């Protein structure tokens, strides 16, 4: 796999899936469960998924680095969604389809047709669709979720993207990364600064105190911590198995305490498996990401400017060279 990963579309499950009539392990108010069958999809097999590189699926929110107004810039994920009337029609269709799939599949398969010009909300200014979004007669089409995936630039005065801004200095063009250390012989993570221009056309995952209920336990309310993890950066030394029973056992091991797995095939295709696909819960008490030692290599002295003392760049910079047993331990960085 290439080190420059760009996840633009929803990644398909590596196994065939089916709607099962049982309580969802992901959504407690949902009486059905989308589960993985013990059969790798034809698409994955044709992509030679068994010979691919497997990496941890990180639980955060996706971001993208591309140019904006002639400069390398951080973009946040923003899906264009249907308006209320169209959403009601789409949910009715989803219920009908779910009943058809869990029943005997009698009668014609339920279908849904979008009238894109009327059904979707207006995208925000500067919004761009994700690469690969399907078009019909020139009109962008929603995917299976009913959304059109896309991106908006993170603006410096954006309140909705304040946690994105905590990990990024747009004026200076640098970000804070959490990644495997280059000489990863002892499986150590590092917190480092990287210039946005080095990440062009890459996607990353924003994780931290105020993202997705903080499954990794980073930071605190008083001193939140938000970092970017490059997609594909947390590769498994030994790929997980493809058999259901063996996978369930693997997910119960210390290295398997992850939200899921993403497989990166040589032809560029990606496939995933979420532990919810096997009926297993997330988050877990001790995610594998938090069991690895971490070293702070943030060197703010290399730049020709100063960072505000309240910024994460400054606070991590003061910890340059410090080692911690876990990234969770960095939540007391203000005391240094």
């Amino acid at each position: 796999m290439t080190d420059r990963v760009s996840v633009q579309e929803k990644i398909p499950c590596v196994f065939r899936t089916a709607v099962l009539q049982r309580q969802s392990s992901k959504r407690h108010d949902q009486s059905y469960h989308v589960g993985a069958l013990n059969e790798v999809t034809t698409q994955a097999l044709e992509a030679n998924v068994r010979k691919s590189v497997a990496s941890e699926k990180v639980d955060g929110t996706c971001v993208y680095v591309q140019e904006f107004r002639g400069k390398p810039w951080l973009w946040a994920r923003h899906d264009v969604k249907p308006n209320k009337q169209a959403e009601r029609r789409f949910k009715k269709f989803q219920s009908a389809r779910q009943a058809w799939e869990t029943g005997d599949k009698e009668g014609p398969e339920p279908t849904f047709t979008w009238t894109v010009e009327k059904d979707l909300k207006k995208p925000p200014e500067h919004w761009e669709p994700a690469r690969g979004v399907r078009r019909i007669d020139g009109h962008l089409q929603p995917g299976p979720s009913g959304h059109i995936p896309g991106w908006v630039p993170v603006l410096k005065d954006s309140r909705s993207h304040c946690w994105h801004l905590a990990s990024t200095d747009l004026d200076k063009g640098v970000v804070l990364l959490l990644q495997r250390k280059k000489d990863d012989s002892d499986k150590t993570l590092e917190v480092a600064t990287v210039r946005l221009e080095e990440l062009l056309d890459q996607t990353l995952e924003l994780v931290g105190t105020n993202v997705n209920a903080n499954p990794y336990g980073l930071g605190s309310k008083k001193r939140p911590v938000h970092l970017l993890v490059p997609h594909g950066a947390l590769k498994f030394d030994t790929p997980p198995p493809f058999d259901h029973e063996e996978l369930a056992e693997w997910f119960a091991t210390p290295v398997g305490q992850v939200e899921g797995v993403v497989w990166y095939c040589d032809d560029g295709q990606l496939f995933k498996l979420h532990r919810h696909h096997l009926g297993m819960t997330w988050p877990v008490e001790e995610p594998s990401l938090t069991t690895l030692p971490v070293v702070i290599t943030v060197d703010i002295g290399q730049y020709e400017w100063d960072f505000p003392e309240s910024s994460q760049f400054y606070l991590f910079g003061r910890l340059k060279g410090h080692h911690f047993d876990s990234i969770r331990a960095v939540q007391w960085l203000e005391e240094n």
Side-chain angles (χ1 to χ4, degrees):
M1 75 176 262
T2 175
D3 290 334
R4 193 172 291 274
V5 176
S6 182
V7 179
Q8 295 285 324
E9 302 177 82
K10 184 177 176 63
I11 303 175
C13 184
V14 71
F15 293 107
R16 286 185 56 229
T17 58
V19 179
L20 309 174
Q21 280 299 109
R22 73 184 192 201
Q23 183 68 38
S24 170
S25 60
K26 186 175 183 180
R27 298 179 177 89
H28 300 301
D29 59 344
Q30 188 171 287
S31 60
Y32 64 91
H33 168 71
V34 178
L37 305 177
N38 198 6
E39 181 183 344
V40 179
T41 65
T42 300
Q43 182 184 359
L45 289 173
E46 291 177 347
N48 204 16
V49 70
R50 294 183 185 274
K51 298 294 184 181
S52 63
V53 176
S55 176
E56 176 177 344
K57 182 183 184 300
V58 179
D59 186 4
T61 184
C62 190
V63 300
Y64 181 41
V65 180
Q66 68 170 353
E67 287 197 351
F68 177 60
R69 294 174 177 168
K71 292 178 60 178
W73 208 262
L74 191 73
W75 293 62
R77 191 61 175 256
H78 183 96
D79 289 4
V80 174
K81 301 177 181 179
N83 55 40
K84 289 184 178 180
Q85 186 177 3
E87 185 176 23
R88 283 195 294 268
R89 288 195 296 111
F90 188 66
K91 284 185 175 180
K92 187 176 180 181
F93 153 73
Q94 287 180 309
S95 297
R97 182 176 175 80
Q98 184 245 323
W100 181 82
E101 287 188 344
T102 55
D104 297 327
K105 296 189 176 180
E106 294 181 356
E109 180 180 353
T111 60
F112 189 87
T113 302
W114 293 98
T115 305
V116 178
E117 306 93 312
K118 298 179 180 179
D119 289 343
L120 299 177
K121 296 177 181 178
K122 184 180 179 181
E125 187 180 11
H126 306 304
W127 180 84
E128 291 186 8
R131 253 194 334 259
V133 173
R134 189 168 63 101
R135 295 176 184 261
I136 296 179
D137 297 328
H139 296 291
L140 296 166
Q141 299 296 306
S145 66
H147 303 169
I148 300 178
W151 310 100
V152 290
V154 173
L155 302 180
K156 288 179 284 187
D157 59 351
S158 173
R159 296 182 63 184
S160 60
H161 295 143
C162 59
W163 308 123
H164 294 69
L165 292 167
S167 67
T168 309
D169 192 312
L170 293 168
D171 287 327
K172 301 173 178 64
V174 292
V175 298
L176 282 167
L177 292 192
L178 176 64
Q179 59 186 3
R180 283 282 183 91
K181 206 165 175 288
K182 293 284 190 281
D183 54 339
D184 190 27
S185 56
D186 57 352
K187 298 181 181 179
T188 298
L189 299 174
E190 69 171 341
V191 177
T193 53
V194 176
R195 292 184 182 272
L196 279 169
E197 61 189 18
E198 298 177 39
L199 302 170
L200 278 171
D201 200 35
Q202 284 187 242
T203 51
L204 309 92
E205 204 77 7
L206 174 68
V207 299
T209 312
N210 296 288
V211 178
N212 284 5
N214 195 17
Y216 303 107
L218 303 186
S220 63
K221 185 176 180 180
K222 183 178 181 181
R223 175 58 65 198
V225 170
H226 296 90
L227 301 164
L228 296 173
V229 182
H231 284 155
L234 304 177
K235 302 178 184 68
F236 297 112
D237 295 331
T238 302
F242 281 95
D243 176 78
H244 264 212
E245 190 172 323
E246 292 178 356
L247 263 172
E249 293 175 357
W250 180 85
F251 271 120
T253 65
V255 72
Q257 299 302 294
V258 296
E259 185 197 24
V261 181
V262 179
W263 286 269
Y264 298 80
C265 298
D266 288 341
D267 65 357
Q269 293 191 73
L270 308 180
F271 300 92
K272 72 177 179 183
L273 180 71
H274 197 295
R275 63 193 300 127
H276 286 310
H277 283 128
L278 299 181
M280 306 179 77
T281 58
W282 174 263
V284 294
E285 184 175 343
E286 195 169 17
S288 63
L289 183 68
T290 66
T291 64
L292 300 175
V294 60
V295 59
I296 312 302
T297 61
V298 175
D299 181 11
I300 59 177
Q302 67 180 301
Y303 302 108
E304 299 175 355
W305 54 77
D306 295 325
F307 290 90
E309 293 186 6
S310 60
S311 77
Q312 284 195 140
F313 292 88
Y314 179 81
L315 294 168
F316 275 110
R318 291 169 59 195
L319 292 177
K320 180 188 173 185
H322 281 63
H323 291 253
F324 299 91
D325 292 336
S326 163
I327 187 63
R328 283 179 171 172
V330 182
Q331 56 189 318
W332 53 260
L333 71 142
E334 64 179 355
E335 298 174 7
N336 286 267

